[in-house]
Coordinates of all heavy atoms in Angstrom, one line a residue:
M1 N -130.5 -19.7 -149.1 CA -130.7 -20.2 -150.4 C -130.9 -19.1 -151.4 O -130.5 -19.2 -152.6 CB -131.9 -21.2 -150.4 CG -132.1 -21.9 -151.7 SD -130.8 -23.1 -151.9 CE -131.3 -23.9 -153.3
K2 N -131.6 -18.1 -151.0 CA -131.9 -16.9 -151.9 C -130.6 -16.2 -152.3 O -130.4 -15.8 -153.4 CB -132.8 -16.0 -151.2 CG -133.4 -14.9 -152.0 CD -134.4 -14.1 -151.3 CE -135.0 -13.1 -152.2 NZ -136.0 -12.2 -151.5
D3 N -129.6 -16.1 -151.4 CA -128.4 -15.4 -151.7 C -127.5 -16.2 -152.7 O -126.9 -15.6 -153.5 CB -127.6 -15.1 -150.4 CG -128.2 -14.0 -149.6 OD1 -128.9 -13.2 -150.1 OD2 -128.0 -14.1 -148.3
K4 N -127.5 -17.5 -152.6 CA -126.8 -18.3 -153.5 C -127.3 -18.2 -154.9 O -126.6 -18.1 -155.9 CB -126.8 -19.8 -153.1 CG -125.8 -20.2 -152.0 CD -125.8 -21.7 -151.8 CE -124.7 -22.0 -150.8 NZ -124.7 -23.5 -150.6
G5 N -128.6 -18.2 -155.0 CA -129.3 -18.1 -156.3 C -129.0 -16.7 -156.9 O -128.8 -16.6 -158.2
R6 N -129.0 -15.7 -156.1 CA -128.7 -14.4 -156.6 C -127.2 -14.3 -157.1 O -126.9 -13.6 -158.1 CB -128.9 -13.4 -155.5 CG -129.4 -12.0 -156.0 CD -129.7 -11.1 -154.8 NE -131.1 -11.2 -154.5 CZ -131.7 -10.8 -153.4 NH1 -130.9 -10.2 -152.5 NH2 -132.9 -10.9 -153.2
K7 N -126.3 -14.9 -156.4 CA -124.9 -14.9 -156.7 C -124.7 -15.6 -158.1 O -124.0 -15.0 -159.0 CB -124.1 -15.6 -155.7 CG -122.6 -15.7 -156.0 CD -121.8 -16.4 -154.9 CE -121.5 -17.8 -155.4 NZ -120.6 -18.5 -154.5
W8 N -125.3 -16.7 -158.4 CA -125.2 -17.4 -159.7 C -125.9 -16.6 -160.8 O -125.4 -16.6 -161.9 CB -125.8 -18.8 -159.6 CG -124.9 -19.7 -158.8 CD1 -125.1 -20.2 -157.6 CD2 -123.6 -20.2 -159.2 NE1 -124.1 -21.0 -157.2 CE2 -123.1 -21.0 -158.2 CE3 -122.9 -20.0 -160.4 CZ2 -121.9 -21.7 -158.3 CZ3 -121.6 -20.7 -160.4 CH2 -121.2 -21.4 -159.4
M9 N -127.0 -15.9 -160.5 CA -127.6 -15.1 -161.4 C -126.7 -13.9 -161.9 O -126.6 -13.7 -163.1 CB -128.9 -14.5 -160.9 CG -129.7 -13.6 -161.9 SD -131.0 -12.7 -161.2 CE -130.2 -11.6 -160.1
W10 N -126.1 -13.3 -161.0 CA -125.2 -12.2 -161.3 C -124.0 -12.7 -162.1 O -123.5 -12.0 -163.0 CB -124.7 -11.4 -160.1 CG -125.8 -10.5 -159.6 CD1 -126.5 -10.6 -158.5 CD2 -126.2 -9.3 -160.2 NE1 -127.4 -9.5 -158.4 CE2 -127.2 -8.7 -159.5 CE3 -125.9 -8.7 -161.4 CZ2 -127.9 -7.6 -159.8 CZ3 -126.5 -7.5 -161.8 CH2 -127.5 -6.9 -161.0
L11 N -123.5 -13.8 -161.7 CA -122.3 -14.4 -162.4 C -122.7 -14.7 -163.8 O -121.9 -14.5 -164.8 CB -121.8 -15.7 -161.7 CG -120.6 -16.4 -162.3 CD1 -119.4 -15.4 -162.3 CD2 -120.3 -17.7 -161.6
F12 N -123.9 -15.3 -164.0 CA -124.4 -15.6 -165.4 C -124.5 -14.3 -166.2 O -124.1 -14.3 -167.4 CB -125.7 -16.4 -165.3 CG -126.3 -16.6 -166.6 CD1 -125.8 -17.6 -167.5 CD2 -127.4 -15.9 -167.0 CE1 -126.3 -17.8 -168.7 CE2 -128.0 -16.1 -168.3 CZ -127.4 -17.1 -169.1
L13 N -125.1 -13.3 -165.6 CA -125.2 -12.0 -166.3 C -123.9 -11.4 -166.7 O -123.7 -10.8 -167.7 CB -126.1 -11.0 -165.5 CG -127.6 -11.4 -165.4 CD1 -128.2 -10.4 -164.4 CD2 -128.2 -11.4 -166.7
V14 N -122.9 -11.5 -165.8 CA -121.6 -11.0 -166.1 C -120.9 -11.7 -167.2 O -120.3 -11.1 -168.1 CB -120.7 -11.0 -164.8 CG1 -119.2 -10.7 -165.1 CG2 -121.2 -9.9 -163.8
V15 N -121.1 -13.0 -167.2 CA -120.5 -13.8 -168.3 C -121.2 -13.5 -169.6 O -120.6 -13.4 -170.7 CB -120.6 -15.3 -168.0 CG1 -120.3 -16.2 -169.2 CG2 -119.7 -15.7 -166.8
L16 N -122.5 -13.3 -169.6 CA -123.3 -13.0 -170.7 C -122.8 -11.6 -171.3 O -122.7 -11.5 -172.5 CB -124.8 -13.0 -170.4 CG -125.7 -12.9 -171.6 CD1 -125.5 -14.1 -172.5 CD2 -127.2 -12.8 -171.1
V17 N -122.7 -10.6 -170.5 CA -122.2 -9.3 -170.9 C -120.8 -9.4 -171.4 O -120.4 -8.8 -172.5 CB -122.3 -8.3 -169.8 CG1 -121.7 -7.0 -170.1 CG2 -123.8 -8.0 -169.4
A18 N -119.9 -10.2 -170.8 CA -118.5 -10.3 -171.2 C -118.5 -10.9 -172.6 O -117.6 -10.6 -173.4 CB -117.7 -11.1 -170.2
W19 N -119.4 -11.9 -172.8 CA -119.4 -12.6 -174.1 C -119.7 -11.6 -175.2 O -119.3 -11.8 -176.4 CB -120.4 -13.7 -174.0 CG -120.5 -14.5 -175.3 CD1 -121.5 -14.4 -176.2 CD2 -119.6 -15.4 -175.8 NE1 -121.2 -15.2 -177.3 CE2 -120.0 -15.9 -177.1 CE3 -118.3 -15.9 -175.4 CZ2 -119.4 -16.8 -177.9 CZ3 -117.7 -16.8 -176.2 CH2 -118.2 -17.2 -177.4
Q20 N -120.5 -10.6 -174.9 CA -120.9 -9.6 -176.0 C -119.7 -8.7 -176.4 O -119.8 -8.0 -177.4 CB -122.1 -8.8 -175.5 CG -123.3 -9.7 -175.2 CD -123.7 -10.5 -176.5 OE1 -123.7 -9.9 -177.6 NE2 -124.1 -11.7 -176.3
F21 N -118.7 -8.6 -175.5 CA -117.6 -7.7 -175.9 C -116.8 -8.3 -177.0 O -116.5 -9.5 -177.1 CB -116.7 -7.5 -174.7 CG -117.3 -6.6 -173.6 CD1 -117.3 -7.0 -172.3 CD2 -117.8 -5.4 -174.0 CE1 -117.8 -6.2 -171.4 CE2 -118.3 -4.6 -173.0 CZ -118.3 -5.0 -171.7
Y22 N -116.5 -7.5 -178.0 CA -115.7 -7.9 -179.1 C -114.4 -8.5 -178.8 O -114.0 -9.5 -179.4 CB -115.6 -6.7 -180.1 CG -114.8 -7.0 -181.3 CD1 -115.5 -7.6 -182.4 CD2 -113.5 -6.6 -181.5 CE1 -114.8 -7.9 -183.5 CE2 -112.8 -6.8 -182.7 CZ -113.5 -7.5 -183.7 OH -112.8 -7.8 -184.9
A23 N -113.7 -7.9 -177.8 CA -112.3 -8.4 -177.5 C -112.4 -9.8 -176.9 O -111.5 -10.6 -177.2 CB -111.7 -7.4 -176.5
V24 N -113.4 -10.1 -176.2 CA -113.5 -11.4 -175.6 C -113.7 -12.5 -176.7 O -113.1 -13.5 -176.7 CB -114.6 -11.5 -174.5 CG1 -114.9 -12.9 -174.1 CG2 -114.3 -10.6 -173.4
R25 N -114.6 -12.1 -177.6 CA -114.8 -13.0 -178.8 C -113.6 -13.2 -179.6 O -113.3 -14.3 -180.0 CB -116.0 -12.5 -179.6 CG -117.3 -12.9 -179.0 CD -118.4 -12.7 -180.0 NE -119.1 -11.5 -179.8 CZ -120.0 -10.9 -180.6 NH1 -120.1 -11.4 -181.8 NH2 -120.6 -9.9 -180.3
E26 N -112.8 -12.1 -179.8 CA -111.6 -12.2 -180.6 C -110.6 -13.1 -179.9 O -109.9 -13.9 -180.6 CB -111.1 -10.8 -180.9 CG -111.9 -10.1 -181.9 CD -111.8 -10.7 -183.3 OE1 -110.7 -11.1 -183.7 OE2 -112.9 -10.8 -183.9
L27 N -110.4 -12.9 -178.6 CA -109.5 -13.7 -177.9 C -109.8 -15.2 -177.9 O -109.0 -16.1 -178.0 CB -109.4 -13.2 -176.4 CG -108.6 -11.9 -176.2 CD1 -108.7 -11.5 -174.8 CD2 -107.2 -12.1 -176.6
L28 N -111.1 -15.5 -177.7 CA -111.5 -16.9 -177.8 C -111.3 -17.5 -179.2 O -110.9 -18.7 -179.3 CB -113.0 -17.0 -177.4 CG -113.3 -16.8 -175.9 CD1 -114.8 -16.8 -175.6 CD2 -112.5 -17.8 -175.0
A29 N -111.6 -16.7 -180.2 CA -111.3 -17.2 -181.6 C -109.9 -17.4 -181.8 O -109.5 -18.4 -182.5 CB -111.9 -16.1 -182.6
A30 N -109.0 -16.5 -181.4 CA -107.6 -16.7 -181.5 C -107.1 -18.0 -180.8 O -106.3 -18.7 -181.3 CB -106.8 -15.5 -181.0
F31 N -107.7 -18.1 -179.6 CA -107.3 -19.3 -178.8 C -107.7 -20.6 -179.6 O -107.0 -21.6 -179.6 CB -108.0 -19.3 -177.4 CG -107.8 -20.5 -176.6 CD1 -106.5 -20.8 -176.1 CD2 -108.8 -21.4 -176.4 CE1 -106.4 -22.0 -175.3 CE2 -108.6 -22.6 -175.7 CZ -107.4 -22.9 -175.2
A32 N -108.9 -20.6 -180.1 CA -109.4 -21.7 -180.9 C -108.5 -22.0 -182.1 O -108.2 -23.2 -182.4 CB -110.8 -21.5 -181.3
L33 N -108.0 -21.0 -182.8 CA -107.2 -21.2 -183.9 C -105.8 -21.7 -183.5 O -105.2 -22.6 -184.2 CB -107.0 -19.8 -184.7 CG -108.2 -19.4 -185.5 CD1 -108.0 -18.1 -186.1 CD2 -108.5 -20.4 -186.6
F34 N -105.2 -21.2 -182.4 CA -104.0 -21.7 -182.0 C -104.1 -23.1 -181.5 O -103.2 -24.0 -181.8 CB -103.4 -20.9 -180.8 CG -102.7 -19.6 -181.2 CD1 -103.2 -18.4 -180.9 CD2 -101.5 -19.7 -181.9 CE1 -102.5 -17.2 -181.3 CE2 -100.8 -18.6 -182.4 CZ -101.3 -17.3 -182.0
F35 N -105.2 -23.5 -180.9 CA -105.4 -24.8 -180.5 C -105.5 -25.8 -181.6 O -104.9 -26.8 -181.7 CB -106.7 -24.9 -179.6 CG -107.1 -26.3 -179.2 CD1 -106.4 -27.0 -178.2 CD2 -108.0 -27.1 -179.9 CE1 -106.7 -28.3 -177.8 CE2 -108.3 -28.3 -179.5 CZ -107.7 -28.9 -178.5
L36 N -106.2 -25.4 -182.7 CA -106.3 -26.2 -183.9 C -105.0 -26.3 -184.6 O -104.6 -27.4 -185.1 CB -107.3 -25.6 -184.9 CG -108.8 -25.7 -184.4 CD1 -109.7 -25.0 -185.4 CD2 -109.2 -27.2 -184.3
G37 N -104.2 -25.3 -184.6 CA -102.9 -25.3 -185.3 C -101.9 -26.3 -184.5 O -101.3 -27.1 -185.1
F38 N -101.9 -26.1 -183.2 CA -101.0 -27.0 -182.4 C -101.5 -28.5 -182.4 O -100.7 -29.4 -182.4 CB -100.9 -26.5 -180.9 CG -100.0 -25.3 -180.8 CD1 -100.5 -24.1 -180.3 CD2 -98.7 -25.4 -181.2 CE1 -99.6 -23.0 -180.2 CE2 -97.8 -24.3 -181.0 CZ -98.3 -23.1 -180.6
A39 N -102.8 -28.7 -182.5 CA -103.3 -30.0 -182.6 C -102.9 -30.7 -183.9 O -102.6 -31.8 -184.0 CB -104.8 -30.0 -182.4
A40 N -102.9 -29.9 -185.0 CA -102.5 -30.4 -186.3 C -101.0 -30.7 -186.3 O -100.6 -31.8 -186.8 CB -102.8 -29.3 -187.4
I41 N -100.2 -29.9 -185.7 CA -98.8 -30.1 -185.6 C -98.5 -31.4 -184.8 O -97.7 -32.3 -185.2 CB -98.0 -28.9 -185.0 CG1 -98.1 -27.8 -186.1 CG2 -96.6 -29.3 -184.7 CD1 -97.6 -26.5 -185.5
A42 N -99.2 -31.5 -183.6 CA -99.0 -32.7 -182.8 C -99.5 -34.0 -183.5 O -98.9 -35.0 -183.4 CB -99.8 -32.5 -181.5
G43 N -100.6 -33.8 -184.3 CA -101.1 -35.0 -185.0 C -100.1 -35.4 -186.1 O -99.8 -36.6 -186.3
A44 N -99.5 -34.5 -186.8 CA -98.4 -34.8 -187.8 C -97.2 -35.5 -187.1 O -96.7 -36.5 -187.6 CB -98.0 -33.6 -188.5
I45 N -96.8 -35.0 -186.0 CA -95.6 -35.5 -185.3 C -95.9 -36.9 -184.8 O -95.1 -37.9 -185.0 CB -95.2 -34.6 -184.2 CG1 -94.5 -33.4 -184.8 CG2 -94.2 -35.3 -183.3 CD1 -94.2 -32.3 -183.7
L46 N -97.1 -37.1 -184.2 CA -97.5 -38.5 -183.8 C -97.7 -39.5 -184.9 O -97.2 -40.6 -184.8 CB -98.8 -38.4 -183.0 CG -98.7 -37.8 -181.6 CD1 -100.1 -37.7 -181.0 CD2 -97.9 -38.8 -180.7
S47 N -98.2 -39.0 -186.1 CA -98.3 -39.9 -187.2 C -96.9 -40.4 -187.7 O -96.7 -41.5 -188.0 CB -99.1 -39.3 -188.3 OG -98.5 -38.2 -188.9
V48 N -96.0 -39.4 -187.8 CA -94.6 -39.8 -188.2 C -94.0 -40.8 -187.2 O -93.3 -41.8 -187.5 CB -93.7 -38.6 -188.4 CG1 -92.3 -38.9 -188.6 CG2 -94.2 -37.8 -189.6
Y49 N -94.2 -40.5 -185.9 CA -93.6 -41.4 -184.8 C -94.2 -42.8 -184.9 O -93.4 -43.7 -184.9 CB -93.9 -40.7 -183.5 CG -93.5 -41.6 -182.3 CD1 -92.2 -41.7 -181.9 CD2 -94.5 -42.3 -181.6 CE1 -91.8 -42.5 -180.9 CE2 -94.1 -43.1 -180.5 CZ -92.8 -43.2 -180.2 OH -92.4 -44.0 -179.1
F50 N -95.5 -42.9 -185.1 CA -96.1 -44.2 -185.2 C -95.7 -44.9 -186.5 O -95.5 -46.1 -186.5 CB -97.6 -44.1 -185.1 CG -98.1 -43.9 -183.7 CD1 -99.0 -42.9 -183.4 CD2 -97.6 -44.6 -182.6 CE1 -99.5 -42.6 -182.1 CE2 -98.1 -44.3 -181.3 CZ -99.0 -43.3 -181.1
A51 N -95.6 -44.2 -187.6 CA -95.1 -44.8 -188.8 C -93.7 -45.4 -188.6 O -93.4 -46.5 -189.1 CB -95.2 -43.8 -189.9
Q52 N -92.8 -44.6 -187.9 CA -91.5 -45.1 -187.7 C -91.4 -46.3 -186.8 O -90.7 -47.2 -187.1 CB -90.6 -43.9 -187.1 CG -89.2 -44.2 -187.0 CD -88.8 -44.9 -185.7 OE1 -89.4 -44.8 -184.7 NE2 -87.7 -45.6 -185.7
K53 N -92.3 -46.3 -185.8 CA -92.3 -47.5 -184.9 C -92.9 -48.7 -185.6 O -92.4 -49.8 -185.4 CB -93.2 -47.2 -183.6 CG -92.5 -46.3 -182.7 CD -91.3 -46.9 -182.1 CE -90.5 -46.0 -181.1 NZ -89.3 -46.6 -180.7
T54 N -93.8 -48.5 -186.5 CA -94.4 -49.6 -187.3 C -93.3 -50.2 -188.2 O -93.1 -51.4 -188.3 CB -95.6 -49.1 -188.1 OG1 -96.6 -48.6 -187.2 CG2 -96.2 -50.3 -188.9
W55 N -92.6 -49.3 -188.9 CA -91.5 -49.7 -189.7 C -90.4 -50.5 -189.0 O -89.9 -51.5 -189.4 CB -90.9 -48.5 -190.4 CG -89.8 -48.8 -191.3 CD1 -88.4 -48.7 -191.0 CD2 -89.8 -49.3 -192.7 NE1 -87.7 -49.1 -192.1 CE2 -88.5 -49.5 -193.1 CE3 -90.9 -49.6 -193.5 CZ2 -88.2 -50.0 -194.4 CZ3 -90.6 -50.1 -194.8 CH2 -89.3 -50.3 -195.2
E56 N -90.1 -49.9 -187.8 CA -89.1 -50.6 -186.9 C -89.5 -52.0 -186.6 O -88.7 -52.9 -186.6 CB -88.9 -49.7 -185.7 CG -87.8 -50.2 -184.8 CD -87.6 -49.3 -183.5 OE1 -87.8 -48.1 -183.7 OE2 -87.4 -49.8 -182.5
A57 N -90.8 -52.2 -186.2 CA -91.3 -53.5 -185.8 C -91.3 -54.4 -187.0 O -90.9 -55.6 -186.9 CB -92.7 -53.4 -185.2
G58 N -91.6 -53.9 -188.2 CA -91.6 -54.7 -189.4 C -90.2 -55.2 -189.8 O -90.0 -56.3 -190.1
V59 N -89.2 -54.3 -189.7 CA -87.9 -54.6 -190.0 C -87.3 -55.6 -189.0 O -86.6 -56.6 -189.4 CB -87.0 -53.4 -190.1 CG1 -85.5 -53.7 -190.1 CG2 -87.4 -52.5 -191.3
A60 N -87.7 -55.5 -187.7 CA -87.2 -56.5 -186.7 C -87.9 -57.8 -187.0 O -87.2 -58.9 -186.8 CB -87.6 -55.9 -185.3
R61 N -89.1 -57.8 -187.4 CA -89.7 -59.1 -187.7 C -89.1 -59.8 -188.9 O -88.9 -61.0 -188.9 CB -91.2 -58.9 -187.9 CG -92.0 -60.1 -188.1 CD -93.5 -59.8 -188.1 NE -94.2 -61.1 -188.3 CZ -95.5 -61.2 -188.3 NH1 -96.2 -60.1 -188.3 NH2 -96.1 -62.4 -188.5
V62 N -88.8 -59.0 -189.9 CA -88.1 -59.6 -191.1 C -86.7 -60.1 -190.8 O -86.2 -61.1 -191.3 CB -88.1 -58.6 -192.3 CG1 -87.1 -59.0 -193.4 CG2 -89.5 -58.3 -192.8
A63 N -86.0 -59.4 -189.9 CA -84.6 -59.7 -189.5 C -84.6 -61.1 -188.9 O -83.6 -61.8 -189.0 CB -84.1 -58.7 -188.5
V64 N -85.6 -61.5 -188.1 CA -85.6 -62.8 -187.5 C -86.3 -63.9 -188.3 O -86.4 -65.0 -187.9 CB -86.2 -62.8 -186.0 CG1 -85.3 -61.8 -185.2 CG2 -87.6 -62.4 -186.1
S65 N -86.8 -63.5 -189.5 CA -87.6 -64.4 -190.3 C -86.7 -65.5 -190.9 O -85.5 -65.3 -191.2 CB -88.2 -63.6 -191.4 OG -88.9 -64.5 -192.3
R66 N -87.2 -66.7 -191.0 CA -86.5 -67.8 -191.6 C -87.1 -68.2 -192.9 O -86.9 -69.3 -193.4 CB -86.6 -69.1 -190.6 CG -86.1 -68.8 -189.2 CD -84.7 -68.2 -189.1 NE -83.6 -69.1 -189.5 CZ -82.4 -68.7 -189.7 NH1 -82.1 -67.4 -189.6 NH2 -81.5 -69.5 -190.0
N67 N -87.7 -67.2 -193.5 CA -88.3 -67.5 -194.9 C -87.2 -67.6 -195.9 O -86.2 -67.0 -195.8 CB -89.2 -66.3 -195.2 CG -90.0 -66.5 -196.5 OD1 -89.8 -67.4 -197.2 ND2 -91.0 -65.6 -196.7
R68 N -87.4 -68.6 -196.9 CA -86.4 -68.8 -197.9 C -86.0 -67.6 -198.7 O -84.9 -67.3 -199.0 CB -86.8 -69.9 -198.8 CG -86.8 -71.3 -198.1 CD -87.2 -72.4 -199.1 NE -88.6 -72.2 -199.5 CZ -89.1 -72.7 -200.6 NH1 -88.4 -73.4 -201.5 NH2 -90.4 -72.5 -200.9
L69 N -87.0 -66.8 -199.1 CA -86.8 -65.6 -199.8 C -86.0 -64.6 -199.0 O -85.1 -64.0 -199.6 CB -88.2 -65.0 -200.2 CG -88.1 -63.7 -201.1 CD1 -87.4 -64.0 -202.4 CD2 -89.5 -63.1 -201.3
I70 N -86.3 -64.4 -197.8 CA -85.5 -63.5 -196.9 C -84.1 -64.0 -196.8 O -83.1 -63.2 -196.9 CB -86.2 -63.3 -195.6 CG1 -87.6 -62.8 -195.7 CG2 -85.4 -62.4 -194.7 CD1 -87.8 -61.5 -196.4
L71 N -83.9 -65.2 -196.6 CA -82.5 -65.8 -196.5 C -81.8 -65.6 -197.8 O -80.5 -65.2 -197.7 CB -82.6 -67.3 -196.1 CG -83.1 -67.5 -194.7 CD1 -83.3 -69.0 -194.5 CD2 -82.2 -67.0 -193.6
A72 N -82.4 -65.8 -198.9 CA -81.7 -65.6 -200.2 C -81.3 -64.1 -200.4 O -80.2 -63.7 -200.9 CB -82.6 -66.0 -201.3
M73 N -82.2 -63.2 -200.0 CA -81.9 -61.8 -200.1 C -80.7 -61.4 -199.2 O -79.9 -60.6 -199.5 CB -83.2 -61.0 -199.7 CG -84.2 -60.9 -200.8 SD -85.7 -60.0 -200.4 CE -85.3 -58.8 -199.3
R74 N -80.7 -62.0 -198.0 CA -79.6 -61.7 -197.1 C -78.2 -62.2 -197.7 O -77.2 -61.5 -197.6 CB -79.8 -62.4 -195.7 CG -80.7 -61.7 -194.8 CD -80.6 -62.4 -193.4 NE -81.9 -62.2 -192.7 CZ -82.4 -63.0 -191.9 NH1 -81.7 -64.1 -191.5 NH2 -83.5 -62.7 -191.2
R75 N -78.3 -63.4 -198.3 CA -77.0 -63.9 -198.9 C -76.6 -63.0 -200.1 O -75.4 -62.7 -200.3 CB -77.2 -65.3 -199.4 CG -77.2 -66.3 -198.3 CD -77.1 -67.7 -198.9 NE -78.2 -68.1 -199.7 CZ -79.4 -68.7 -199.2 NH1 -79.4 -68.9 -197.9 NH2 -80.4 -69.0 -200.0
S76 N -77.6 -62.5 -200.8 CA -77.3 -61.6 -202.0 C -76.7 -60.3 -201.5 O -75.7 -59.7 -202.0 CB -78.5 -61.3 -202.8 OG -79.1 -62.4 -203.3
V77 N -77.3 -59.7 -200.4 CA -76.7 -58.5 -199.9 C -75.3 -58.7 -199.3 O -74.4 -57.9 -199.5 CB -77.7 -57.9 -198.8 CG1 -77.0 -56.8 -198.0 CG2 -79.0 -57.5 -199.4
A78 N -75.1 -59.8 -198.6 CA -73.8 -60.1 -198.1 C -72.7 -60.3 -199.2 O -71.6 -59.8 -199.1 CB -73.8 -61.4 -197.3
A79 N -73.2 -60.9 -200.3 CA -72.2 -61.0 -201.5 C -71.9 -59.7 -202.1 O -70.8 -59.4 -202.4 CB -72.9 -62.0 -202.5
L80 N -72.9 -58.8 -202.2 CA -72.7 -57.5 -202.8 C -71.8 -56.7 -201.9 O -70.9 -55.9 -202.3 CB -74.0 -56.8 -203.0 CG -74.8 -57.2 -204.2 CD1 -76.2 -56.5 -204.2 CD2 -74.1 -57.0 -205.5
E81 N -71.9 -56.8 -200.6 CA -71.1 -56.1 -199.6 C -69.7 -56.6 -199.7 O -68.7 -55.8 -199.7 CB -71.6 -56.2 -198.2 CG -72.8 -55.4 -197.9 CD -73.4 -55.6 -196.5 OE1 -72.9 -56.6 -195.8 OE2 -74.3 -54.9 -196.1
D82 N -69.5 -57.9 -199.9 CA -68.1 -58.4 -200.0 C -67.5 -58.0 -201.3 O -66.3 -57.6 -201.4 CB -68.2 -60.0 -200.0 CG -66.9 -60.6 -200.0 OD1 -66.0 -60.2 -199.2 OD2 -66.7 -61.6 -200.8
L83 N -68.3 -57.9 -202.4 CA -67.8 -57.4 -203.7 C -67.4 -55.9 -203.6 O -66.4 -55.5 -204.1 CB -68.9 -57.6 -204.7 CG -68.5 -57.3 -206.2 CD1 -67.4 -58.3 -206.6 CD2 -69.7 -57.4 -207.1
A84 N -68.2 -55.2 -202.8 CA -67.9 -53.7 -202.7 C -66.6 -53.5 -201.9 O -65.9 -52.5 -202.1 CB -69.0 -53.0 -202.0
R85 N -66.3 -54.4 -201.0 CA -65.1 -54.2 -200.1 C -63.8 -54.5 -200.9 O -62.7 -54.1 -200.5 CB -65.2 -55.1 -198.9 CG -66.1 -54.6 -197.9 CD -66.0 -55.4 -196.6 NE -67.1 -55.1 -195.8 CZ -68.1 -56.0 -195.5 NH1 -68.0 -57.3 -196.0 NH2 -69.1 -55.7 -194.7
R86 N -63.9 -55.3 -202.0 CA -62.7 -55.7 -202.7 C -62.1 -54.4 -203.5 O -62.8 -53.6 -203.9 CB -63.0 -56.7 -203.8 CG -63.4 -58.0 -203.1 CD -63.7 -59.0 -204.2 NE -64.2 -60.3 -203.6 CZ -64.6 -61.3 -204.3 NH1 -64.7 -61.2 -205.6 NH2 -65.0 -62.4 -203.7
P87 N -60.8 -54.4 -203.6 CA -60.2 -53.3 -204.3 C -60.5 -53.4 -205.8 O -60.6 -54.5 -206.3 CB -58.7 -53.4 -204.0 CG -58.5 -54.8 -203.6 CD -59.8 -55.2 -203.0
I88 N -60.5 -52.2 -206.4 CA -60.8 -52.2 -207.9 C -59.7 -52.8 -208.7 O -59.8 -53.5 -209.6 CB -61.2 -50.9 -208.3 CG1 -62.5 -50.5 -207.7 CG2 -61.4 -50.8 -209.8 CD1 -63.0 -49.1 -207.9
R89 N -58.4 -52.3 -208.3 CA -57.2 -52.8 -209.0 C -56.6 -53.9 -208.2 O -56.7 -54.0 -207.0 CB -56.3 -51.6 -209.2 CG -56.8 -50.6 -210.1 CD -55.8 -49.4 -210.3 NE -55.8 -48.7 -209.0 CZ -54.8 -48.1 -208.5 NH1 -53.6 -48.1 -209.2 NH2 -54.8 -47.4 -207.4
R90 N -55.8 -54.7 -208.9 CA -55.0 -55.7 -208.3 C -53.9 -55.0 -207.5 O -53.4 -53.9 -207.9 CB -54.4 -56.7 -209.3 CG -55.5 -57.4 -209.9 CD -55.0 -58.6 -210.7 NE -56.1 -59.3 -211.3 CZ -56.1 -59.8 -212.5 NH1 -55.1 -59.6 -213.4 NH2 -57.1 -60.5 -212.9
P91 N -53.4 -55.6 -206.4 CA -52.3 -55.0 -205.6 C -51.0 -54.7 -206.4 O -50.4 -53.7 -206.1 CB -52.1 -56.0 -204.5 CG -53.3 -56.9 -204.5 CD -53.8 -56.9 -205.9
D92 N -50.6 -55.5 -207.4 CA -49.4 -55.3 -208.1 C -49.5 -54.6 -209.4 O -48.5 -54.4 -210.2 CB -48.7 -56.6 -208.3 CG -48.3 -57.3 -207.0 OD1 -48.1 -56.5 -206.0 OD2 -48.2 -58.5 -207.0
S93 N -50.7 -54.1 -209.7 CA -50.9 -53.4 -211.0 C -50.3 -52.0 -211.0 O -50.1 -51.4 -209.9 CB -52.3 -53.4 -211.4 OG -53.0 -52.6 -210.5
E94 N -50.0 -51.5 -212.2 CA -49.5 -50.1 -212.3 C -50.5 -49.1 -212.0 O -51.7 -49.3 -212.3 CB -48.9 -49.9 -213.7 CG -47.7 -50.7 -214.0 CD -47.1 -50.3 -215.3 OE1 -47.4 -49.2 -215.8 OE2 -46.4 -51.1 -215.9
P95 N -50.2 -48.0 -211.4 CA -51.2 -46.9 -211.2 C -51.7 -46.4 -212.5 O -51.0 -46.3 -213.5 CB -50.5 -45.9 -210.4 CG -49.0 -46.1 -210.6 CD -48.9 -47.6 -210.9
A96 N -52.9 -45.9 -212.5 CA -53.5 -45.3 -213.7 C -52.9 -44.0 -214.0 O -52.5 -43.2 -213.1 CB -55.0 -45.2 -213.5
R97 N -52.7 -43.7 -215.3 CA -52.1 -42.4 -215.7 C -53.2 -41.4 -216.2 O -54.1 -41.6 -216.8 CB -51.0 -42.6 -216.7 CG -49.9 -43.4 -216.1 CD -48.9 -43.5 -217.2 NE -47.9 -44.5 -216.7 CZ -46.7 -44.6 -217.2 NH1 -46.3 -43.9 -218.1 NH2 -45.9 -45.5 -216.7

């Protein structure tokens, strides 16, 4: 039992002395800054991902909606698309000069 206690005491002293070295503190500070930077980047990416998934679920819910307003909007969009597909000039008209 006495040898185990001595081993942990020496380990604690070595860690304490190593903590006092400037290089060790600088490396730990750099590690902490890199960790915070990567955590911020990961948080931004996750927030964009969750926002996209939320938008996707909302659009899917609106797509299957039977609300009168949504149905009227669909008809309007379909009419505009049909109007956009029509040629601007009549087939037998003269070309513009």
Side-chain angles (χ1 to χ4, degrees):
M1 186 69 175
K2 191 175 182 183
D3 289 335
K4 280 187 177 182
R6 212 177 267 166
K7 180 178 103 173
W8 286 109
M9 179 190 68
W10 282 110
L11 182 64
F12 176 73
L13 288 174
V14 167
V15 169
L16 191 64
V17 169
W19 179 255
Q20 297 303 316
F21 288 128
Y22 180 76
V24 173
R25 278 197 254 166
E26 287 295 315
L27 286 173
L28 289 175
F31 175 72
L33 287 175
F34 277 115
F35 177 77
L36 289 175
F38 284 119
I41 291 170
I45 290 171
L46 282 175
S47 66
V48 168
Y49 174 76
F50 286 132
Q52 189 270 333
K53 287 297 180 182
T54 304
W55 179 262
E56 184 180 324
V59 168
R61 188 171 177 182
V62 167
V64 298
S65 175
R66 304 311 286 166
N67 188 347
R68 288 184 293 158
L69 180 63
I70 301 298
L71 293 174
M73 284 177 28
R74 279 192 208 151
R75 283 192 297 272
S76 299
V77 169
L80 285 173
E81 286 176 350
D82 185 45
L83 187 63
R85 286 191 195 109
R86 293 181 184 174
I88 294 174
R89 291 181 289 149
R90 293 188 178 140
D92 295 333
S93 67
E94 292 185 21
R97 294 183 192 198

